[in-house]
Each structure stands twice: as C-alpha cells, then as structure tokens.
C-alpha cells in the first residue's frame, strides 16, 4: 500500500488509524468476525473524539474481517453516531465490505430499514460510498 497508516487506538475488535499525509482522514478497521454492540459503541465514541480534535472529514470503515451483520449496531451508527459526526464536519464515509454476499445483502436490507424508520437523518446529506480497498477509499 502506498499510504502509511498510524495506529491511534486498539480495541479488542477494532483499530483506529490516521493516514500519514492525509490529516483529515481516519480509518476504523474491524479485526474480528463480530463486534459486540457495546464494544462497537466504545470504538466509535473514541473515534468521535478523534473526529472532533483532528477535524476529520472522511472516514473509512474497513469491515472486511466481519462475518456477522448486527442491525442494532448499524442503527445506532446511523441514527445516533453519524448525526453527531455530521455536525462536527465528518461528511464523507467510505465502507469496505467483506467478500460475503449474505453480509452485503444484510447491509442493503439494514440500510432500507433505517431509511424507513429515520428517513430525514443527516446521513442522507453525507457522501457515503463503498470501496474495494483502503487505497481506493482514500483516493475516491
């Protein structure tokens, strides 16, 4: 990879990085096949502190290690966490999904459910896209 990641914080199921030469981008990477919701929230709350202190504008969420999709975590992430982050300037999200069709389909269904229960969320104003790699996510 042509970019150097600097680990900022490590959790049992995730790691947070910044990217050398790209001060407004952060990466959160899942490191296990499943992240329990409380650990998920803890990691993202910590990431929120980084967003606030470093003026992070773009987040890359590397989910490639995940095998289990958890709808309550996704709902909290969209309905609570992204709302706060939008107000802090985090408006670009890139996601790297596992090479797992069931997981990808679960994400699609999960997003549709969130849209139905929270149609006016600030996530609608965000630039959210899927990437194939961290390099692709940084550059696009």
């Amino acid at each position: 990879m042509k970019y150097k990641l600097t680990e900022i914080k490590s959790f049992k199921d995730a790691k947070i990085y910044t990217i050398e030469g790209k001060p407004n981008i952060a990466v959160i990477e899942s490191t296990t096949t499943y992240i329990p919701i409380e650990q998920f929230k803890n990691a993202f709350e910590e990431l929120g502190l980084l967003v606030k202190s470093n003026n992070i504008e773009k987040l890359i969420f590397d989910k490639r290690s995940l095998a289990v999709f958890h709808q309550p975590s996704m709902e909290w992430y969209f309905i609570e966490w992204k709302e706060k982050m939008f107000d802090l300037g985090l408006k670009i999200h890139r996601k790297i999904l596992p090479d797992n069709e069931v997981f990808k389909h679960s994400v699609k269904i999960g997003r549709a459910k969130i849209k139905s229960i929270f149609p006016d969320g600030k996530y609608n104003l965000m630039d959210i896209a899927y990437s194939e790699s961290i390099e692709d996510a940084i550059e696009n």
Side-chain angles (χ1 to χ4, degrees):
M1 180 164 55
K2 65 182 179 180
Y3 297 99
K4 183 179 186 294
L5 301 182
T6 302
E7 186 178 309
I8 300 299
K9 182 104 180 185
S10 182
F11 301 88
K12 183 178 178 224
D13 301 300
K15 291 184 179 183
I16 297 172
Y17 304 92
T18 54
I19 302 163
E20 191 174 289
K22 303 283 184 182
N24 300 95
I25 302 175
V27 177
I28 186 162
E29 173 191 28
S30 61
T31 58
T32 58
T33 58
Y34 171 70
I35 304 174
I37 191 165
E38 288 309 316
Q39 291 178 30
F40 183 87
K41 287 179 178 181
N42 288 341
F44 275 88
E45 292 293 345
E46 185 73 27
L47 179 58
L49 297 174
L50 181 69
V51 168
K52 187 174 184 177
S53 66
N54 288 34
N55 299 313
I56 301 295
E57 298 171 353
K58 182 179 200 177
L59 173 65
I60 300 166
F61 187 2
D62 184 349
K63 306 177 184 188
R64 288 179 284 187
S65 73
L66 293 177
V68 177
F69 174 80
H70 189 248
Q71 182 68 24
S73 294
M74 187 178 192
E75 288 177 13
W76 175 85
Y77 172 64
F78 270 80
I79 295 169
E80 294 185 40
W81 192 81
K82 281 188 177 187
E83 291 289 299
K84 293 177 195 170
M85 295 306 109
F86 182 88
D87 293 338
L88 294 175
L90 177 60
K91 297 186 169 103
I92 303 169
H93 294 255
R94 295 295 177 262
K95 296 158 191 246
I96 307 169
L97 296 178
D99 186 20
N100 175 324
E101 291 307 314
V102 172
F103 190 97
K104 289 176 182 177
H105 188 67
S106 297
V107 167
K108 188 176 178 181
I109 291 169
R111 283 191 65 169
K113 181 180 179 199
I114 290 167
K115 191 148 185 77
S116 73
I117 61 174
F118 195 58
D120 299 323
K122 292 176 185 172
Y123 64 86
N124 289 305
L125 305 173
M126 295 176 172
D127 175 356
I128 301 172
Y130 295 95
S131 298
E132 294 299 316
S133 67
I134 290 177
E135 287 173 345
D136 177 51
I138 291 168
E139 295 171 0
N140 295 299

